[in-house]
Structure formats: structure tokens, C-alpha cells
């Protein structure tokens, strides 16, 4: 089933769920690991600032970028298998959710080097996530970032001479990113492992949604996505 724009409604909903999880995880990583595990633009900028101010987050930045790239390489391999787009994306999200879930257990166990292990696992998982969302090819949603979503709202609005395509989809993604960051911030202030586990559950739900067989109830998803 597709929307009038050609987007699979379940892919759109899954990506919105993943965007919420990314809001959680980037808030957690910034607050408690002092670097972004998934938002690489901000990671590069933070590294530059820390180099200029002689602070020690640079090594964490290199670790995050390296493991993110490794995750992206792995994700690129996974999505290029002989699978439908829906199932290929679902497979990657299930793998990613499992890794994030294991990260929650790892943080709870607090092994030596826990912070670096957590950062590496989350960065790898987010590299996988980007491969999945890029493969889905939903407009403005290849990355869980607000910049393109906000730009799309303005650029395609009637005030700019457009026809407002995808407005509700973009608003839903921006809202989910914001809500996810709030949830990640508040929950991690009490339990970091619980906050990571909630993000993992959200990602696993998104992946499972893409593997569920067609059902009349799922037809209602077409009303949620917009052209």
C-alpha cells in the first residue's frame, strides 16, 4: 500500500518512530557521553570547539565518527540484499534495536570503559539507522534532523508558492524528534539504562511494524501520512 506520493505508509510511521528514538538517544549521548552519537554534523562542530578550547572530547568524537561509519557500511550491505524496501528497512531496524537494547544492559552492568563502549555501540547503531532511512527514500526524512523538515515546511508552503505537500508528515517528524529528546532527557536523569531501553523498544516496534502482514487495521495508516 502506498500514499499518493508513492510513500509506503508503514515506512513513514516507522521512520517517525525511529526519529523519536533518535531524539532520545542523541539527548542521552549529549548529556551523559558529552558528544552526539548520531548527529555527526554537531559531533564535528563539537570536536572543533573542543580542539580550540583544549578540552578532551576529541577522542570521543573520533570514536563516534569511526563507529558511525562502520555502522553505515554494515547498513549499506544489509539494505542491498534481495529484499523489498519495506523488509530491508525492517531488518536493519530490528538489528539496530537489538544493539541498542544490548547497550542498555551494558550500561546497567557498568563494565570497565562503559562510557566508550556505550558511545561506540550507539554510534554504530545510528550508522545502521541512517542506512535504513536513506533506503526508505521518504522525502525529507533520510536523517532524523529538523533542518530539512523545517526548510521543507517553508519552501513548499503556499506562502512560497508551493502546495504544502507532506506538511503533516514533516510536523509529525519534528514533533517526534522534540518529544523523544524530552523523554530521553527526563528518563535518563533517573536511569540511563532505562532511557536507552525505551529507545530500543521504540526502534524494535518500528522494525516489527514493517514485518507485520497486511491487515485491514493497518489500512488506517494511509490516513496518517500525507501527500
Amino acid at each position: 500500500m502506498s500514499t499518493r506520493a508513492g510513500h509506503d505508509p508503514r515506512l513513514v510511521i516507522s521512520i517517525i518512530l525511529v526519529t523519536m528514538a533518535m531524539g532520545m538517544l542523541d539527548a542521552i549521548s549529549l548529556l551523559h557521553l558529552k558528544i552526539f552519537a548520531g548527529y555527526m554534523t554537531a559531533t564535528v562542530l563539537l570536536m572543533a570547539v573542543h580542539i580550540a578550547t583544549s578540552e578532551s572530547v576529541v577522542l570521543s568524537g573520533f570514536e563516534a565518527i569511526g563507529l558511525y561509519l562502520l555502522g553505515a557500511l554494515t547498513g549499506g550491505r544489509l539494505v542491498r540484499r534481495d529484499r523489498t524496501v519495506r523488509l530491508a528497512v525492517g531488518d536493519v531496524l530490528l538489528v539496530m534495536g537489538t544493539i541498542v537494547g544490548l547497550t542498555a544492559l551494558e550500561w546497567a552492568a557498568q563494565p570497565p570503559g562503559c562510557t566508550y563502549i556505550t558511545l561506540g555501540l550507539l554510534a554504530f547503531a545510528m550508522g545502521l539507522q541512517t542506512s535504513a532511512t536513506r533506503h526508505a527514500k521518504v522525502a525529507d526524512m533520510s536523517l532524523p534532523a529538523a533542518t530539512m523538515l523545517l526548510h521543507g515546511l517553508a519552501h513548499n508552503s503556499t506562502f512560497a508558492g508551493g502546495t504544502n505537500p507532506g506538511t503533516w508528515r514533516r510536523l509529525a517528524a519534528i514533533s517526534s524528534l522534540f518529544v523523544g529528546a524530552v523523554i530521553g532527557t527526563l528518563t535518563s536523569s533517573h536511569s540511563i539504562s532505562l532511557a536507552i531501553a525505551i529507545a530500543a523498544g521504540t526502534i524494535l516496534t518500528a522494525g516489527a511494524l514493517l514485518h507485520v502482514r497486511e491487515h485491514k487495521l493497518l489500512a488506517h495508516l494511509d490516513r496518517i501520512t500525507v501527500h
Side-chain angles (χ1 to χ4, degrees):
M1 181 176 66
S2 301
T3 65
R4 281 168 285 181
H7 298 312
D8 182 331
R10 273 201 260 173
L11 277 173
V12 174
I13 297 303
S14 292
I15 293 174
I16 288 173
L17 288 172
V18 170
T19 300
M20 179 180 291
M22 293 304 95
M24 297 181 207
L25 293 176
D26 264 334
I28 294 165
S29 61
L30 178 62
L31 288 171
H32 303 285
L33 306 178
K34 306 306 179 185
I35 199 80
F36 285 101
Y39 185 25
M40 290 295 108
T41 299
T43 295
V44 171
L45 293 175
L46 283 173
M47 288 174 65
V49 170
H50 289 309
I51 288 173
T53 56
S54 301
E55 295 187 33
S56 60
V57 181
V58 178
L59 290 178
S60 296
F62 280 119
E63 180 193 4
I65 291 172
L67 270 295
Y68 181 90
L69 290 174
L70 183 59
L73 287 170
T74 305
R77 285 284 184 179
L78 290 175
V79 299
R80 289 183 174 92
R81 295 176 304 146
D82 187 18
R83 301 275 273 172
T84 65
V85 172
R86 179 187 286 185
L87 292 179
V89 173
D91 290 345
V92 174
L93 294 183
L94 290 177
V95 172
M96 178 194 175
T98 300
I99 292 172
V100 175
L102 292 173
T103 305
L105 294 175
E106 176 268 334
W107 185 275
Q110 286 291 300
C114 176
T115 299
Y116 290 101
I117 295 171
T118 300
L119 177 61
L121 288 171
L122 291 181
F124 180 82
M126 292 190 183
L128 285 172
Q129 173 270 324
T130 304
S131 291
T133 51
R134 287 190 65 172
H135 190 65
K137 296 180 180 178
V138 177
D140 294 338
M141 297 178 72
S142 60
L143 289 171
T147 302
M148 288 305 296
L149 294 166
L150 289 169
H151 181 272
L153 284 174
H155 180 79
N156 295 309
S157 69
T158 53
F159 297 103
T163 57
N164 294 306
T167 297
W168 290 109
R169 186 181 67 240
R170 294 187 181 98
L171 288 173
I174 293 168
S175 299
S176 65
L177 185 65
F178 182 87
V179 170
V182 171
I183 293 173
T185 299
L186 295 177
T187 308
S188 66
S189 67
H190 299 285
S191 171
I192 296 173
S193 58
L194 175 60
I196 297 174
I198 292 172
T202 304
I203 297 164
L204 288 171
T205 299
L209 178 62
L210 298 177
H211 284 82
V212 175
R213 293 182 178 180
E214 296 291 348
H215 190 279
K216 61 182 181 180
L217 292 177
L218 293 173
H220 293 299
L221 289 175
D222 199 21
R223 301 176 183 175
I224 300 174
T225 56
V226 294
H227 63 279

